[in-house]
Amino acid sequence: MSDSLPEPSSIEARPGPFFRRLLRYDAVDSTNEVAKLLLGHGAEEGTILVAKRQSAGKGRHGRVWASPPGGLYVSLVVRPEPQYVVTLGLLSGIPVVKALRHFGVFASLKWPNDVVFMEKKIAGILSEGVYRGSEFYAVVGVGVNTTIDLERLPEDVRARATSVKREVAEYVDNDDFLEYAMKHFEDIVSKFRSGTRDRLIKDYRGLCTTIGKDVVVTSSHGAVRGRAYDVTPLGALVVMGEDGGKTEVVDGTVEYVR
Ligand code: BTN
């Protein structure tokens, strides 16, 4: 990743109440990386970065997020308490699902924050914590396959992905999509700050189709098998094994077992 700060093509003021500054870029390596650089240059929470394409988009667990033109690539700068960064990343799936449903794709969440339609991935979220001195920030990166041509994705990704363009006949404009999602992001941040996170976790559970399924969750700590039973108030997945024992998994990749 480059250390030089790319020049935005525009800087716009937003009505907020929380997200009040939008920086637009034509192309960057990764909006999350640029957000982290900007934090080093005094960027404030409530900043949004959006790029038309990324040359080195990052996915969860060190994976690549293929970012051809037409997709929506956004990073949001928020300042949660460090212990809630994972929860915030999890809950950030809610606005994305709501926006997809609004624009005609009945998407849902696959724990922790894959956004899927008919088990094909349509959006993903990468939430990263970063310190500026003693101040902790979260950069919440959201990638949505809005109007991308699936042919432009690597073959292995394409087989498991879909896009708004593929699922909905009507053209969906990225700015309209972002504005709709941002209203719900504002709501998430405001509830998050006012301490009504439990309510948000209820909303999350309602949109998460992993609960009730037989799963294998793989993480750096190994694999956990069983039935996805619940999501805790902090966002961990509770997996119930055959013997009835429950394990809480904080991060990992879920495969459904049929
Ligand atoms: C995943 O599902 O693996 C997470 C994908 C997150 C992709 C977005 S696109 C905008 C932001 N910038 C990045 O480099 N990654 C996130």
Side-chain angles (χ1 to χ4, degrees):
M1 304 283 167
S2 147
D3 268 358
S4 64
L5 206 49
E7 207 42 51
S9 55
S10 71
I11 301 177
E12 297 166 23
R14 292 191 75 259
F18 182 79
F19 292 100
R20 298 181 65 87
R21 196 159 174 256
L22 170 67
L23 308 186
R24 290 185 187 276
Y25 297 87
D26 287 329
V28 293
D29 50 7
S30 150
T31 53
N32 271 29
E33 289 303 314
V34 177
K36 288 192 254 172
L37 280 177
L38 276 175
L39 273 168
H41 286 76
E44 298 292 336
E45 68 170 335
T47 302
I48 309 171
L49 293 84
V50 56
K52 289 188 178 153
R53 52 188 193 278
Q54 301 183 115
S55 55
K58 302 191 313 172
R60 290 175 62 232
H61 302 302
R63 291 189 281 252
V64 168
W65 184 258
S67 311
L72 182 60
Y73 311 111
V74 185
S75 294
L76 309 172
V77 179
V78 190
R79 231 184 126 186
E81 292 165 57
Q83 68 269 33
Y84 294 129
V85 66
V86 172
T87 319
L88 178 66
L90 190 92
L91 297 174
S92 295
I94 297 174
V96 181
V97 168
K98 287 192 170 164
L100 282 163
R101 290 187 179 187
H102 176 77
F103 288 101
V105 183
F106 200 77
S108 55
L109 289 164
K110 180 179 182 188
W111 186 90
N113 51 18
D114 281 353
V115 184
V116 293
F117 175 67
M118 307 280 281
E119 296 197 13
K120 295 205 163 182
K121 188 146 166 174
I122 193 161
I125 292 155
L126 173 67
S127 173
E128 300 184 90
V130 49
Y131 276 95
R132 177 167 73 194
S134 59
E135 295 173 354
F136 179 80
Y137 290 84
V139 173
V140 180
V142 181
V144 189
N145 296 342
T146 43
T147 55
I148 63 164
D149 288 322
L150 292 173
E151 293 66 37
R152 297 199 60 170
L153 295 178
E155 215 170 320
D156 55 324
V157 176
R158 196 187 311 154
R160 293 174 285 109
T162 192
S163 66
V164 176
K165 186 176 173 182
R166 162 68 60 90
E167 305 299 343
V168 179
E170 203 171 320
Y171 172 76
V172 175
D173 181 76
N174 273 343
D175 284 346
D176 294 344
F177 190 99
L178 180 62
E179 267 319 302
Y180 188 89
M182 284 317 300
K183 286 199 190 88
H184 291 281
F185 266 113
E186 294 276 6
D187 187 48
I188 297 274
V189 174
S190 115
K191 288 194 176 125
F192 207 79
R193 296 186 152 231
S194 66
T196 45
R197 278 181 300 273
D198 289 1
R199 182 61 217 269
L200 292 173
I201 285 285
K202 273 194 192 143
D203 291 351
Y204 175 91
R205 287 193 192 103
L207 299 174
C208 178
T209 43
T210 304
I211 298 167
K213 290 205 167 77
D214 290 329
V215 295
V216 179
V217 190
T218 314
S219 72
S220 52
H221 303 293
V224 177
R225 278 171 188 276
R227 168 103 14 117
Y229 177 79
D230 197 8
V231 174
T232 69
L234 282 180
L237 185 68
V238 183
V239 180
M240 187 161 72
E242 271 185 3
D243 60 357
K246 291 179 191 147
T247 309
E248 286 187 17
V249 191
V250 177
D251 193 15
T253 301
V254 168
E255 292 295 334
Y256 294 144
V257 181
R258 282 159 221 286

